[in-house]
Amino acid sequence: MRFLVIGATGTVGRAAAAELARLCGRGDAIVLAARDRERAEALAAALAPGSSAELSATAVRLPAAPEEPALDGADAVLSCAGPATRLAESTARCCIGRGIACADVGGSRRLLDALDGPARTGAVPVLLGAGVQPGLLGAMIRRAGRDGSRRITVHCGGSQRLTRAGAEEYLAALSHDIGWPRSRWADGSIVSAGGGAGRIGLPAVYGSEASRHLHLDEECADAARDLDLDGLTVYTVIGDPTTASALRAVIAGEMDLDGAIAAASPAEPVFAIHVVGEQGALEFSCTDSYAASGRIAARTVHRIGDEEPGARWASAGLACEDWFEGLGVRRVPTASGAAGTGPAPAARTAERDARPRAVVVGGGFGAHYARALARQDSPVRLVGVMGRGGARSRALSEELAVALLSEPDPAEADLAVVAVSSDMIGGPGTDLARGLLDRGIRVIQEHPVDGRIVAELTRAARDGGSVYLPTGFYEHLDSSREFVRVCTRLRADGRLVHVEARTSVQLLERCLLILAEAVGAAPTGAPSVAATSSPERVLVSGLWGPTPIDLMVHNRWDPEDPDNHCQPDLHVVVTTLDGELRWDHVHGPLHWLPRMHLSSGRLHDPDSPMCSALGPDEPIRAREVLGRLWPAAVHRAVNRLVQAPAGRPLVDQRTLQTLAWWARLRSAMPLPTPIASADPEPLEVGCPCS
């Protein structure tokens, strides 16, 4: 990917640039943008030796204008320029208008509401509040709520040097425009709670001269609302009396910002967040909150390609697990909130056990989910395999040392993966998913699932305060996400002309869903199905928004082994006026084949490679698919389910329209040609290719 970091030479921006340079690898590019190009170039030169990514620098004008040259060629933008109250909206709107994913360290609820519709229409994610506050604070509250705490008390702040942008953000937070001073969350609403100031009850890490002030900001209120908390009390802590005095003088009109910044001089910088609930406490501390914000921002934009379109708090996105791991957020198994030096072995066990509990239904394809969720790096804790007591489920439970369940309840599981056949092909999967949702258990259901059932179960999850996610699995692969990202870029540039694809009948609806996301539209009208020279193949044509798509379906299967012999899995050629984007198989890399052009008898670009990989182009072994690629996809799908607020629908209208079109297509296609599959034979022709 090509990342643009705006405000790269600022306090937060430098930390973000350094972290992003560490996270990115070969094939990635990072452009550092600042008002002073020379400073940006110096930073790029300093970071380049320690990074595998390509680093460069450019100048940027702020507030950003739609034609801002710095945005050219960017896939994702990270804005660290402050104050966000003045700069975030213009940058985000420019990114949305150009189809570029965007993250910003700052943000507000007003801005989220203003950007969400345009971001969804433009099919780009916009994440705001990708710092410590907003950001890590909201993520820690959400984690505590998901762990079962219903009443949560928070302290956030400390003693930090003041920057102009930081001071402006703090003063803005004192207004009712972006928060509620002297207020807390109680029983579903924001209530006034008096003065709320003082020093009683402060954790020791803040020092003896710290003071706290009751203040509920918008991110915390949204987290409380999403989690349906009974109570949330948030204190802003100012640890240094000189800083507190300087800010009070600014508020009273007795001092300007420059004077306040000069007067604020904490002797020992410290920043800490303490989140305490009935189920335990979460703790984070550092000496430089600006550097921590930069690291969080970098981790957010690095994973922004995994996010769904729309505007949301970064703390409600998918990168939060990276924040916790990368910044060393600690969990203590008691509700005391006392500071510690790190978890003891018992605390580490408690932390692992505090992950959401998951069960997998089905021992066939479900085994791949179960093995992925049993890994140490899983976002959930596998507690059981649900089956009918058959040999496969029994063997799987023994292999993974988990319980063999017949019917889990909410006391045993928080979420379930239903990987057995749905009712549309004669299996019990739909009834199982419905029963689990009725018990308040979050559900991932494997396709194929009829679109009407998807809509029904989505409504049931919403009404019951649960979450339902139908998945074709393949859309969560890294390779699929990259294909969608590049196609989204081509579409935004107006360069996408035509798509031709090949897939098997077993993976047909998965292919349709990936294509719909890539072109940003569901197929419309009646599907055109034409016979070909082979009875095993049919040609399906249709218009997907403005994009024509031709799909060759290999319509054959082994009735005795229907999940095997899925050939091809997915092969796509995207045609543009400038060349072709080729994706040979669902686990493989993308290749760009530029159009060779002659101008006046001379090559337009004689040094252009005729085929180049977009990313690593190394051979993918079958064992890597099961051992690395599929577990990562499972974790991404499950993370999406875990991170979703209760009652939030995860199925958009485009998906429902695509599934409805697929149902019409199935009716129009002939029955698959039966075949007898056998072990494949390797091709040995002396080819030097590996």
Side-chain angles (χ1 to χ4, degrees):
M1 292 185 64
R2 184 176 180 87
F3 299 95
L4 175 70
V5 182
I6 296 176
T9 59
T11 308
V12 175
R14 292 181 68 89
E19 183 77 353
L20 191 59
R22 187 186 67 81
L23 292 172
C24 288
R26 185 168 57 89
D28 293 325
I30 305 170
V31 182
L32 307 182
R35 292 184 176 93
D36 187 334
R37 179 167 183 162
E38 290 185 358
R39 291 182 63 193
E41 289 175 342
L43 179 59
L47 296 177
S51 176
S52 300
E54 176 188 342
L55 278 98
S56 60
T58 189
V60 65
R61 295 168 292 183
L62 297 175
E67 67 277 4
E68 171 56 51
L71 297 175
D72 294 347
D75 298 310
V77 168
L78 171 61
S79 178
C80 301
T85 49
R86 289 195 285 109
L87 300 177
E89 183 167 7
S90 62
T91 300
R93 289 194 180 279
C94 289
C95 290
I96 292 170
R98 298 174 67 165
I100 304 171
C102 175
D104 199 299
V105 176
S108 66
R109 168 46 57 189
R110 179 199 66 80
L111 190 53
L112 286 173
D113 292 340
L115 297 176
D116 187 52
R120 291 180 184 275
T121 301
V124 295
V126 176
L127 301 182
L128 302 184
V132 292
Q133 184 186 16
L136 183 60
L137 172 59
M140 291 172 67
I141 292 171
R142 291 176 184 273
R143 169 68 70 84
R146 290 196 302 270
D147 288 349
S149 292
R150 307 306 305 156
R151 296 187 177 275
I152 298 171
T153 299
V154 177
H155 289 86
C156 177
S159 303
Q160 296 283 279
R161 58 192 174 91
L162 277 183
T163 66
R164 173 170 286 277
E168 288 188 26
E169 295 281 3
Y170 177 80
L171 294 172
L174 297 179
S175 73
H176 285 275
D177 293 336
I178 58 174
W180 297 269
R182 299 175 297 281
S183 300
R184 61 187 179 90
W185 180 271
D187 299 324
S189 62
I190 299 166
V191 299
S192 176
R199 296 182 178 181
I200 304 297
L202 275 168
V205 67
Y206 295 110
S208 60
E209 296 185 290
S211 60
R212 69 179 190 179
H213 308 268
L214 190 63
H215 184 273
L216 183 69
D217 68 23
E218 293 176 317
E219 180 195 36
C220 295
D222 285 351
R225 186 178 296 106
D226 292 341
L227 296 164
D228 194 24
L229 295 180
D230 296 331
L232 175 63
T233 303
V234 181
Y235 293 100
T236 296
V237 179
I238 299 180
D240 176 54
T242 64
T243 301
S245 299
L247 290 172
R248 284 196 297 267
V250 173
I251 296 169
E254 301 169 354
M255 185 182 294
D256 61 16
L257 270 183
D258 289 333
I261 293 169
S265 55
E268 296 184 11
V270 65
F271 180 89
I273 302 175
H274 282 234
V275 176
V276 183
E278 307 96 315
Q279 302 303 315
L282 293 168
E283 302 174 347
F284 166 76
S285 62
C286 65
T287 58
D288 189 342
S289 63
Y290 301 109
S293 285
R295 295 177 63 191
I296 289 169
R299 289 171 175 265
T300 301
V301 79
H302 187 248
R303 290 211 37 199
I304 202 166
D306 298 336
E307 298 284 349
E308 296 294 314
R312 64 188 63 88
W313 293 115
S315 57
L318 300 177
C320 298
E321 294 301 319
D322 292 348
W323 302 356
F324 283 72
E325 179 183 354
L327 278 82
V329 175
R330 302 179 295 276
R331 185 188 302 272
V332 293
T334 66
S336 66
T341 58
R348 290 191 199 95
T349 301
E351 182 169 2
R352 287 196 298 270
D353 292 346
R355 293 176 298 173
R357 300 158 302 169
V359 299
V360 172
V361 184
F365 194 80
H368 300 298
Y369 279 94
R371 293 184 180 112
L373 298 182
R375 292 163 60 120
Q376 289 294 319
D377 58 348
S378 169
V380 299
R381 177 165 56 97
L382 183 70
V383 297
V385 173
M386 181 175 167
R388 298 178 175 177
R392 288 196 303 187
S393 298
R394 189 166 55 252
L396 185 62
S397 71
E398 293 174 356
E399 173 193 338
L400 303 176
V402 297
L404 180 61
L405 305 173
S406 58
E407 193 174 355
D409 60 41
E412 299 170 323
D414 303 297
L415 64 94
V417 177
V418 178
V420 297
S421 302
S422 67
D423 59 345
M424 66 175 296
I425 51 178
T430 298
D431 288 339
L432 288 167
R434 186 182 292 109
L436 291 164
L437 289 171
D438 288 343
R439 297 183 182 93
I441 298 173
R442 300 184 175 213
V443 171
I444 289 179
Q445 185 179 9
E446 265 284 321
H447 279 300
V449 187
D450 187 274
R452 291 171 296 180
I453 296 298
V454 170
E456 175 196 328
L457 296 184
T458 297
R459 288 192 297 269
R462 180 197 62 199
D463 296 342
S466 187
V467 184
Y468 171 70
L469 175 65
T471 177
F473 177 77
Y474 290 99
E475 71 266 30
H476 302 292
L477 290 166
D478 288 338
S479 50
S480 300
R481 306 314 307 158
E482 180 68 3
F483 172 71
V484 169
R485 184 189 68 81
V486 176
C487 286
T488 301
R489 176 63 184 273
L490 292 173
R491 175 162 47 86
D493 293 344
R495 292 195 287 169
L496 202 156
V497 174
H498 177 263
V499 177
E500 55 186 285
R502 296 166 57 238
T503 191
S504 60
V505 67
Q506 296 98 320
L507 301 180
L508 178 56
E509 93 288 350
R510 282 88 157 170
C511 171
L512 298 181
L513 292 170
I514 292 173
L515 291 178
E517 188 177 3
V519 303
T524 56
S528 172
V529 179
T532 68
S533 58
S534 169
E536 297 181 358
R537 292 169 175 81
V538 294
L539 178 63
V540 180
S541 302
L543 197 63
W544 301 48
T547 307
I549 294 183
D550 293 311
L551 178 63
M552 182 70 73
V553 182
H554 290 231
N555 193 30
R556 59 187 181 183
W557 70 358
D558 184 348
E560 302 299 321
D561 191 10
D563 293 332
N564 216 332
H565 215 93
C566 302
Q567 181 189 9
D569 47 25
L570 182 56
H571 174 90
V572 187
V573 177
V574 179
T575 301
T576 77
L577 294 178
D578 304 308
E580 291 183 343
L581 178 71
R582 192 183 73 201
W583 190 23
D584 288 335
H585 62 99
V586 75
H587 302 105
L590 302 175
H591 288 86
W592 174 249
L593 287 72
R595 173 175 59 88
M596 188 172 67
H597 183 64
L598 293 171
S599 179
S600 301
R602 295 181 177 273
L603 286 170
H604 172 71
D605 186 359
D607 296 324
S608 174
M610 296 307 298
C611 179
S612 54
L614 304 183
D617 192 18
E618 300 172 355
I620 299 173
R621 312 296 180 183
R623 68 172 66 92
E624 292 181 74
V625 172
L626 297 186
R628 178 172 61 86
L629 303 182
W630 282 17
V634 169
H635 292 175
R636 178 173 290 117
V638 170
N639 244 329
R640 189 180 176 200
L641 191 76
V642 169
Q643 298 286 343
R648 176 182 173 182
L650 295 182
V651 181
D652 56 20
Q653 195 62 34
R654 183 180 64 207
T655 296
L656 294 176
Q657 292 173 353
T658 304
L659 291 175
W661 195 82
W662 170 59
R664 299 173 67 184
L665 174 58
R666 286 193 298 116
S667 300
M669 287 177 53
L671 292 174
T673 300
I675 60 171
S677 57
D679 293 341
E681 295 290 334
L683 177 64
E684 298 178 356
V685 294
C687 177
C689 304
S690 51

